[in-house]
Amino acid sequence: MQWRSIVVGLVVLRLSLSCVVWLAFGLGPNVSWGFNFPLSFSLHKLDLLFGDEKGTDPRGNSWSQRVQGHRHEEAATTCAKVEEESPKKSYLSFFDGNQDEYVRRYSSFPDTLKAKMKDMAKEMFYFGYDNYMKYAFPEDELNPIDCEGRGPDVLNPSNININDVLGNYSLTLIDTLDTLLVLGNVTEFQRAVKLVIDTVSFDKDSTVQVFEANIRILGSLISSHILLTDPKHPFGKVDFDGYDNELLHLAHDLAVRLLPAFENTSTGIPYPRVNLKTGVPPDSINETCTAGAGSLLVEFGILSRLIGDSTFEWVARRAVRALWNLRSNETGLLGNVVNIQTGQWVGKQSGLGAGMDSFYEYLLKSYILFGEKEDHRMFQASYESIQNHMRRGRESCNEGEGDPPLYVNVNMFSGEIMNTWIDSLQAFFPGLQVLNGDVDNAICLHAFYYAIWKRFGALPERYNWQLQAPDVLFYPLRPELVESTYLLYQATKNPFYLHVGMDILQSLEKNAKVRCGYATLHHVVDKSKEDRMESFFLSETCKYLYLLFDEDNPLHKSDNKYIFTTEGHVVPIDKRFREKQWNDPFPCEEAVLAQREPNHRPTPPSNTSNCNRIPEERRYTLPLKSVYMRQIDHMVGLF
C-alpha cells in the first residue's frame, strides 16, 4: 500500500509541475488586474514552442518579444528540448479558429444600411452644431453637459490645454464652415460666413498656440474662401451678393498676427505661442515641438499664393528646412522637442504621434499642392527612415510569420525603442500611407487601432502595447482613426471599412452623447465624461464619418481633386497653387538637398491619385486575412 501512495504522490507532483509550466508559457488563463487587461503578450511564448529561434534581429518579426529582454532568451534555452521534439508549427495556427466569423461580419454592407449611417452621421453633426449655436456662440466651444459656452481661461493663463486653442474668436463656428458645405447645407454655410464676417475680430488680447490657430482658424478661412469663389461650383452656387473676399482678408490679418513667432529666433524655428495683440509674450519658452513648428506650410503657402506675398510661405518653409537640417546623421530621424535658439534637441523621442505627426503629413501634402520637388524628397527620405527604424513586426502585412507591423517610439539617434506606448494621434498614419501609395502597410496599422477601438469603444490617448492597457485614459473625440478609415475605403472600396465607420458611429452615440452635444470621454473604461466638445469633432470627426457613407458627395463626383488639411479642411488641388508670383528666395537649396539625399528616387507627378492600388479581385475580400485579424484582436486583449 505504501508504494501505491508514493506512486500517486509522484503522479500528482508531475501533474502540478505540468500545470505550472503550462501557465508559465501563457497558454492558460490570462492574469488580469480588474480591467480584464492581460498582463503581457504571450505570442512569443507560443513561438518558442512552435517556431524556430535562431537569433533575434533587432528590427525583426517579433516586437512583443524583444522588449522583454534576456528573460525570453533564458526561456528559449529552457525550451530547446521541446522544440527539438515537437514538429515545426507556426504560432499563427493558434489564431486559425473560426475564421468565417470575420467574413460573415465584414464582407458586405447593404446600401440601405449605408444610407442609414449617412443620416446618422448628419444627425450627429447637427446635434452638436445646433446646440453650439444655441448655447455657446459666439464663444469658442460648447460645454455639452452644462449647455454653456467656453472661452479662454483668463483667470489661469498657464492653462495651456484651454488657452492654446481658445482665442475668443468663435472657434467652433469658423472651424466648421466647410463641413456645412460637405453636408450640402448651402443656406447655413452662407449664414455662418456672414456671421463670421460680422462678428469675428483677431484684435484680441489672447495668447494662442501658433499651430492651433493656423490649422483650425487660418486653414478654415482659406478653405471656405476658396470654395466660395470657385468658378467650378462643386457644391453648387455657394457664393452670395456682396462677398468681397472678407474671409481671405481675415485670414491675412490672422497670419500677420502670427508672424512675430518667427522673429528673434536664431534658427528660424518659430516660438510656439503669440499674443494676437502684442506678439511673442516676454516669458515665452524657447522650446517647441516638431509638428507645431513644421506644420504651417500648407496654410501659409496657400495664403502666399492667393495674395501674391511670399512672406508667409517663406517663413514656414524656412522652419521646415531648419528642422530637417537638425535630423540625425545616423538614422535620418528627428526628435519631438527642439530649442529654437540653440537648435539642440530637448526631446529625443522619434515617433508618429503627438509632437511629430503632422510634420510628415505636411511634407507630402505640400508636395501634392505646390509640386515642389524638395518637399517630396524630404518626405520620401523621412518615410524610409520611419520604415527602417520605427517599424517592427513581420515584413509583409498579409503574409508570413511574426507579430503584425507596428510603429514604435524610438531614440532619434540610435533607433532603439524608448517606451512601449503609442498614442491615438498616430492613427492618422494609415491615411498618409494611402496618399503615399503604401496601402498594404496602411491596412495593417489601421487594423491594430481598430482592434483597440473595439476593445474600449474609443481610442485611449495612449495605449501600452506591452501591457495591453491604456496609459492615458481619456478620449477627446479625435478624428484620426475615422480619417484613415475614410481614406482606406476610398482606396479599396472594401465594405470592411464601412463596418469600422458604423462601429465608431454607434460607439460615439452610445458613450459620448449628452444633453447638448458629445462630450470628451474622461476614462475609456468606465466611460466617465468631461464637459468639453472640441471643435475638431464637428470639423473632422463628423465630416469624415459623413463622407465615408456618402458615395455621391460632390467631393467624390467632381472632376476636381481635393486634399484635406490636417484639420480636415477641404482644399482643391489647383494649378493656381503651382504658380509663384515671386522668385525662389532659396535658389540653391533644392540642389543642395538633392546632393545630400543618397539614392533619391525620381519625383513622380504630384497630382496623381493612389486610390486604385488594390487589385479588383481583393476589393470584396477582407483587407486583412482572418488569421491576422484574429491575431491582432488577441494582441489587444479582445479574447
Side-chain angles (χ1 to χ4, degrees):
M1 293 296 292
Q2 188 175 3
W3 66 268
R4 289 182 181 173
S5 299
I6 293 172
V7 169
V8 170
L10 288 172
V11 169
V12 170
L13 180 61
R14 176 63 182 271
L15 288 173
S16 300
L17 287 173
S18 297
C19 286
V20 169
V21 172
W22 182 258
L23 289 170
F25 276 97
L27 301 177
N30 280 319
V31 179
S32 64
W33 301 101
F35 294 127
N36 193 28
F37 297 145
L39 186 59
S40 64
F41 288 102
S42 59
L43 302 187
H44 63 277
K45 298 173 186 175
L46 287 159
D47 203 23
L48 293 173
L49 286 175
F50 303 138
D52 188 10
E53 285 274 315
K54 294 183 179 178
T56 304
D57 178 358
R59 304 280 186 272
N61 285 9
S62 177
W63 43 263
S64 63
Q65 175 182 352
R66 281 194 307 281
V67 296
Q68 301 295 331
H70 298 295
R71 180 163 59 87
H72 296 162
E73 293 172 16
E74 294 167 8
T77 305
T78 306
C79 295
K81 247 179 193 176
V82 179
E83 289 183 355
E84 288 170 11
E85 295 169 3
S86 303
K88 300 297 181 188
K89 185 178 180 183
S90 166
Y91 78 71
L92 287 171
S93 62
F94 176 72
F95 304 108
D96 282 344
N98 182 9
Q99 298 175 17
D100 287 343
E101 64 182 282
Y102 291 91
V103 176
R104 283 195 301 269
R105 178 175 179 185
Y106 294 118
S107 61
S108 65
F109 203 92
D111 288 343
T112 53
L113 186 56
K114 191 187 299 183
K116 181 180 178 181
M117 291 301 105
K118 173 185 164 183
D119 290 342
M120 189 173 172
K122 179 184 282 191
E123 289 169 9
M124 176 178 287
F125 170 81
Y126 281 116
F127 187 67
Y129 175 79
D130 290 344
N131 280 306
Y132 165 76
M133 296 303 295
K134 180 177 180 179
Y135 296 108
F137 176 79
E139 295 194 68
D140 287 309
E141 285 181 352
L142 169 69
N143 289 347
I145 296 175
D146 289 340
C147 302
E148 295 175 347
R150 178 200 291 265
D153 188 351
V154 295
L155 299 179
N156 182 13
S158 63
N159 184 2
I160 59 175
N161 183 48
I162 297 296
N163 293 332
D164 272 359
V165 178
L166 309 190
N168 195 19
Y169 38 36
S170 301
L171 168 66
T172 297
L173 178 62
I174 294 177
D175 208 4
T176 303
L177 289 175
D178 66 321
T179 307
L180 291 166
L181 276 187
V182 168
L183 269 64
N185 195 339
V186 174
T187 302
E188 182 61 20
F189 170 75
Q190 293 174 337
R191 185 178 85 92
V193 167
K194 292 173 184 176
L195 273 175
V196 170
I197 293 171
D198 293 341
T199 65
V200 171
S201 167
F202 298 121
D203 190 26
K204 300 286 176 67
D205 185 20
S206 299
T207 298
V208 296
Q209 192 184 86
V210 174
F211 169 75
E212 295 290 359
N214 173 66
I215 66 170
R216 300 201 199 200
I217 300 292
L218 185 63
S220 184
L221 292 171
I222 291 171
S223 168
S224 299
H225 166 75
I226 294 170
L227 295 174
L228 256 175
T229 57
D230 188 345
K232 297 179 181 177
H233 301 300
F235 294 99
K237 189 178 185 303
V238 302
D239 59 335
F240 53 86
D241 292 340
Y243 179 70
D244 191 23
N245 298 330
E246 287 92 346
L247 295 184
L248 183 60
H249 297 323
L250 279 171
H252 186 199
D253 178 46
L254 175 59
V256 168
R257 295 172 187 274
L258 300 179
L259 280 181
F262 296 87
E263 300 169 3
N264 302 315
T265 120
S266 56
T267 61
I269 301 170
Y271 285 91
R273 297 174 183 88
V274 295
N275 183 285
L276 296 177
K277 263 186 182 291
T278 62
V280 177
D283 59 348
S284 181
I285 60 172
N286 287 325
E287 296 172 4
T288 191
C289 69
T290 302
S295 305
L296 308 171
L297 185 52
V298 165
E299 292 82 1
F300 273 42
I302 294 174
L303 179 63
S304 277
R305 294 172 191 235
L306 285 174
I307 66 176
D309 182 348
S310 65
T311 303
F312 305 100
E313 181 172 343
W314 186 85
V315 295
R317 192 169 288 282
R318 181 181 62 168
V320 171
R321 286 169 169 152
L323 289 164
W324 183 249
N325 289 333
L326 295 174
R327 70 195 186 281
S328 165
N329 291 327
E330 296 297 322
T331 64
L333 299 173
L334 292 81
N336 58 344
V337 180
V338 67
N339 186 299
I340 66 172
Q341 302 298 351
T342 66
Q344 297 296 309
W345 289 106
V346 180
K348 299 176 178 62
Q349 176 176 299
S350 196
L352 299 176
M356 303 277 316
D357 48 357
S358 52
F359 175 80
Y360 302 118
E361 178 184 1
Y362 269 23
L363 290 178
L364 182 57
K365 290 184 176 179
S366 294
Y367 170 64
I368 292 170
L369 280 170
F370 306 132
E372 300 284 354
K373 295 179 181 179
E374 170 192 10
D375 297 331
H376 182 262
R377 277 198 279 266
M378 285 190 286
F379 175 77
Q380 289 300 337
S382 295
Y383 196 74
E384 189 172 323
S385 294
I386 288 167
Q387 295 296 100
N388 288 339
H389 298 287
M390 294 184 203
R391 189 185 186 278
R392 302 296 198 271
R394 61 177 174 268
E395 182 177 349
S396 174
C397 169
N398 240 339
E399 300 290 342
E401 298 292 321
D403 295 340
L406 186 71
Y407 294 83
V408 299
N409 299 319
V410 300
N411 182 287
M412 65 173 288
F413 296 110
S414 67
E416 296 300 317
I417 294 178
M418 289 191 70
N419 49 57
T420 59
W421 53 261
I422 52 177
D423 66 47
S424 63
L425 288 166
Q426 186 185 313
F428 93 98
F429 197 66
L432 189 63
Q433 291 179 306
V434 169
L435 290 183
N436 191 43
D438 191 359
V439 178
D440 273 342
N441 269 314
I443 285 169
C444 249
L445 184 57
H446 175 274
F448 194 87
Y449 272 96
Y450 174 47
I452 298 171
W453 183 283
K454 285 192 292 184
R455 174 84 188 274
F456 301 107
L459 278 188
E461 191 72 352
R462 282 186 186 174
Y463 175 81
N464 191 307
W465 44 263
Q466 179 61 19
L467 300 178
Q468 299 183 21
D471 274 355
V472 179
L473 288 151
F474 71 90
Y475 170 63
L477 312 179
R478 291 198 187 280
E480 283 76 16
L481 179 60
V482 189
E483 175 187 7
S484 289
T485 302
Y486 164 68
L487 290 171
L488 271 164
Y489 180 68
Q490 289 301 307
T492 66
K493 295 301 181 183
N494 195 301
F496 170 80
Y497 296 106
L498 298 175
H499 284 278
V500 175
M502 181 171 68
D503 283 355
I504 293 172
L505 256 175
Q506 292 174 339
S507 296
L508 290 170
E509 279 291 313
K510 177 182 177 182
N511 300 324
K513 191 172 186 178
V514 292
R515 188 157 61 109
C516 291
Y518 295 83
T520 292
L521 293 184
H522 175 72
H523 196 297
V524 297
V525 178
D526 67 24
K527 304 300 187 291
S528 57
K529 297 171 181 64
E530 296 179 18
D531 196 7
R532 187 176 186 187
M533 187 178 78
E534 294 225 37
S535 66
F536 53 64
F537 175 68
L538 299 179
S539 168
E540 299 184 79
T541 307
C542 291
K543 178 185 291 167
Y544 287 126
L545 283 169
Y546 181 81
L547 283 170
L548 176 64
F549 297 107
D550 186 16
E551 296 278 3
D552 297 324
N553 195 274
L555 287 181
H556 302 146
K557 296 295 186 180
S558 171
D559 291 336
N560 290 2
K561 291 186 173 70
Y562 295 88
I563 200 165
F564 297 93
T565 70
T566 196
E567 186 70 8
H569 297 305
V570 178
V571 177
I573 300 173
D574 193 310
K575 66 179 182 181
R576 288 180 296 167
F577 305 145
R578 308 295 179 85
E579 299 166 355
K580 294 182 287 190
Q581 302 172 37
W582 58 86
N583 293 324
D584 190 351
F586 302 99
C588 301
E589 286 281 349
E590 190 174 310
V592 171
L593 183 70
Q595 290 172 7
R596 290 190 59 190
E597 303 298 343
N599 304 320
H600 67 269
R601 291 180 289 276
T603 306
S606 56
N607 61 348
T608 57
S609 169
N610 287 320
C611 288
N612 292 299
R613 297 296 183 88
I614 295 296
E616 187 71 31
E617 63 271 14
R618 278 186 55 192
R619 288 195 175 179
Y620 296 98
T621 59
L622 289 174
L624 192 62
K625 292 176 182 176
S626 292
V627 65
Y628 295 125
M629 282 194 179
R630 192 169 175 83
Q631 178 197 27
I632 289 173
D633 284 352
H634 177 79
M635 295 182 93
V636 301
L638 277 169
F639 68 89

